[in-house]
Amino acid sequence: MASTVTDDTGGGRNWTFLTNHGHVLLAIARDPTARLRDVAAEVGVTERAAQAIVADLEAGGYLHRTRVGRRNEYTLNPAGRFRHPAEADRQVGDLLALFADVPTAKAEPQA
């Protein structure tokens, strides 16, 4: 189960540096054949939320889902760019390499 850090100033607000989308992407990077219920439990979201996040990541081109028997297998696209303008020049593969021991892919320079 994902843990959050409690604000030591007494405010009691829980927050993390990564979004649930980032956590799901990292969980799948660590285990590309993981069941969504296991991903959801690791991230600390419902299975339905994990399904919606995977759908977002697939629609955004960050991963591809392939049906293998009764399970899904995921292939990540480490060359995908971060969505926020402040990090748009960076690839998500950099994040994956940092947290999930996944090799990064270098994209062609953009003109």
Side-chain angles (χ1 to χ4, degrees):
M1 184 95 166
S3 63
T4 57
V5 177
T6 302
D7 183 3
D8 289 336
T9 63
R13 290 175 38 125
N14 292 334
W15 60 275
T16 65
F17 281 102
L18 300 177
T19 66
N20 287 339
H21 282 67
H23 287 293
V24 167
L25 190 67
L26 288 171
I28 290 172
R30 291 182 191 117
D31 184 0
T33 61
R35 296 177 304 172
L36 278 183
R37 78 176 55 150
D38 298 329
V39 170
E42 180 178 336
V43 173
V45 297
T46 65
E47 191 172 343
R48 177 173 244 155
Q51 288 173 332
I53 291 168
V54 166
D56 289 346
L57 293 170
E58 188 171 26
Y62 295 97
L63 61 80
H64 177 73
R65 183 179 4 194
T66 304
R67 193 78 173 159
V68 179
R70 295 177 55 191
R71 301 199 50 179
N72 290 321
E73 185 169 318
Y74 301 94
T75 305
L76 302 181
N77 175 15
R81 300 282 178 181
F82 282 93
R83 294 171 52 97
H84 193 281
E87 296 88 27
D89 63 325
R90 302 297 301 257
Q91 297 175 341
V92 295
D94 296 337
L95 177 74
L96 298 173
L98 183 63
F99 288 106
D101 296 326
V102 174
T104 60
K106 297 299 177 193
E108 296 295 320
Q110 295 185 358

